[in-house]
Amino acid sequence: MVKEKVEVCVYGAEVICASCVNLPSSKETYDWLEAAISRKFPDQPFDLAYIDIHNPPEDLEKKQFAQQVIDEDLFYPVVVIKGEIVGEGNPKLKRIYEELQKYGYEPKETL
């Protein structure tokens, strides 16, 4: 049983990161994560937010982190769960799944 609904934030931009030329775009990664998380943790609610680092929402925390991605030249997309960076550039599903499990999410195969 999920202990709390988690928001997964994907920070990125329309232009692909210069160091990530042959990787999917930030939007493609967002779509891929939505499908992958939904399959792995069916019927377990989560929020997935895409934040454009060059045009972030008014939410102060998201706006500050978007600026951090730019200032620190992080490889985007950057995937963040509860303030923790769990993926950068080419995020790994295993790491994202592990982080979600910390909050009570149970993989499909153990339900």
Side-chain angles (χ1 to χ4, degrees), residues 52-89:
D52 185 323
I53 60 174
H54 299 295
N55 190 22
E58 291 302 313
D59 179 284
L60 183 60
E61 185 178 326
K62 289 182 172 92
K63 188 176 265 192
Q64 288 175 336
F65 191 82
Q67 190 60 50
Q68 181 182 342
V69 171
I70 294 168
D71 292 346
E72 295 180 12
D73 289 326
L74 298 176
F75 297 125
Y76 49 86
V78 178
V79 180
V80 177
I81 298 174
K82 295 265 193 189
E84 178 85 22
I85 296 175
V86 295
E88 186 182 345

Side-chain angles (χ1 to χ4, degrees), residues 1 10 12 16 20 22 28 34-35 49 57 67-68 70 72-73 80 83 91-92 96 98 100 103-104 111:
M1 184 71 185
V10 179
I16 293 176
C20 306
N22 293 320
E28 290 169 330
E34 183 173 40
Q67 190 60 50
Q68 181 182 342
I70 294 168
E72 295 180 12
D73 289 326
V80 177
K92 305 292 182 233
I96 294 166
E98 287 170 352
L100 287 168
Y103 297 99
L111 290 177

Side-chain angles (χ1 to χ4, degrees), residues 41-57:
F41 304 103
D43 303 319
Q44 297 174 69
F46 66 94
D47 288 326
L48 187 66
Y50 176 77
I51 294 97
D52 185 323
I53 60 174
H54 299 295
N55 190 22

